[in-house]
Amino acid sequence: MSVLSRKRAAEAEAESADTRGRVQQLAWPTALARAGVPMTKTAGMAARDRARRTATWAAPRVNGARAWTAPRIEQSGLAIRDTIAPKIYETLTATARRVDVTGPRVVDVTARRRRWPEVVAGTAMLVAAGAAAAVVLRRRKNDGTCGAPAEAAEAGTGPQAAQAGQQRADADGSGAEENVSRQERGG
């Protein structure tokens, strides 16, 4: 064999030994993990059993503690409601009154505040309706159509009709007396 062949063979053998060492190093954690699986299963089952026993032991004690605590919490709540809560309520309402800009907010006061615009509007509408009715009645009275609306429609209205009626009354001679009596009555 030649020197080169021996050298190459030695290098190849060294590489294969190196590769085998690396493979063994990589395989070692896998072997440890495989060996640890049964131990892990045993430890997990032991922990599960211990947790079950602990829960079984603790359940009646927790329920007993809850049964003991519940009435005391209720008594505390009632005591707070009867002693401290009214004081807190008074303090908070007094502070709210001081902070509020508009003054006290009593239900009756706000109801009156909100009701008066409606009362004023209703009164204004009644006054306007009354004024309109008075204007209509006064016009009818001045036109002389109070008693006979059909005659007023036939006779016509306006200043020309009034002048024509005045001229007819003057021709009769009784128109002047009617005008004077109408003015004495006020309208």
Side-chain angles (χ1 to χ4, degrees), residues 135-156:
V135 166
V136 168
L137 290 176
R138 180 162 288 212
R139 283 188 182 168
R140 282 188 184 172
K141 184 178 177 185
N142 287 342
D143 289 344
T145 59
C146 233
E151 291 176 14
E154 292 173 9

Side-chain angles (χ1 to χ4, degrees), residues 5-133:
S5 299
R6 282 188 215 152
K7 190 176 178 182
R8 284 186 189 157
E11 287 176 4
E13 196 175 313
E15 276 185 35
S16 66
D18 202 25
T19 306
R20 275 188 299 239
R22 286 185 189 158
V23 168
Q24 285 177 352
Q25 282 179 344
L26 293 174
W28 183 62
T30 308
L32 284 178
R34 284 185 184 157
V37 168
M39 288 189 295
T40 307
K41 281 185 179 179
T42 305
M45 288 174 22
R48 183 188 65 201
D49 292 341
R50 183 65 124 178
R52 282 184 183 162
R53 277 187 270 148
T54 304
T56 304
W57 175 84
R61 287 164 180 78
V62 168
N63 289 338
R66 289 175 69 183
W68 179 85
T69 306
R72 284 160 182 77
I73 292 172
E74 186 177 4
Q75 287 174 348
S76 300
L78 294 173
I80 288 172
R81 182 191 70 190
D82 295 339
T83 58
I84 298 172
K87 294 175 185 175
I88 293 172
Y89 167 76
E90 290 171 6
T91 305
L92 289 175
T93 54
T95 304
R97 287 186 192 122
R98 283 188 216 123
V99 171
D100 194 10
V101 177
T102 60
R105 289 188 172 216
V106 181
V107 175
D108 295 334
V109 172
T110 56
R112 274 190 240 128
R113 280 188 207 157
R114 292 181 184 153
R115 211 178 301 145
W116 76 265
E118 293 174 2
V119 171
V120 169
T123 306
M125 288 178 62
L126 285 174
V127 168

